[in-house]
Amino acid sequence: MNQNVGSTDKTLRTTAGAIAGLVSIGILLNALPLPAALSPVLGLVAIIMLATATVGTCPIYSLLGVDSCPRDSRPS
């Protein structure tokens, strides 16, 4: 698979994944007054965001033809 997630996108995905994971854990520990059904959803979002940031490929980006990696600046 070709990488389609750039460095800024990776940073944003890592941050969003970490926040979603922490909120999910906070809900499970009853530290946050949010519905318990939200915890597994946020946990799944966290896993997906962190996995796509780590691998550097987003399947949804592939389907939509989006690429946030910088263009190669070398002449062809």
Side-chain angles (χ1 to χ4, degrees), residues 2-5 8-9 19-23 28 33 36 38 42 48 52 58 61-62 64 68-70 73:
N2 294 332
Q3 288 193 341
N4 58 8
V5 177
T8 303
D9 200 356
I19 291 170
L22 289 172
V23 171
L28 287 175
L38 190 58
L42 288 174
I48 291 170
T52 57
C58 177
Y61 275 12
S62 296
L64 298 175
S68 65
C69 289
S73 60

Side-chain angles (χ1 to χ4, degrees), residues 13-52:
R13 287 171 183 268
T14 302
T15 303
I19 291 170
L22 289 172
V23 171
S24 175
I25 291 170
I27 293 169
L28 287 175
L29 297 175
N30 291 323
L32 296 172
L34 295 171
L38 190 58
S39 182
V41 173
L42 288 174
L44 184 60
V45 167
I47 290 169
I48 291 170
M49 295 298 269
L50 293 171
T52 57

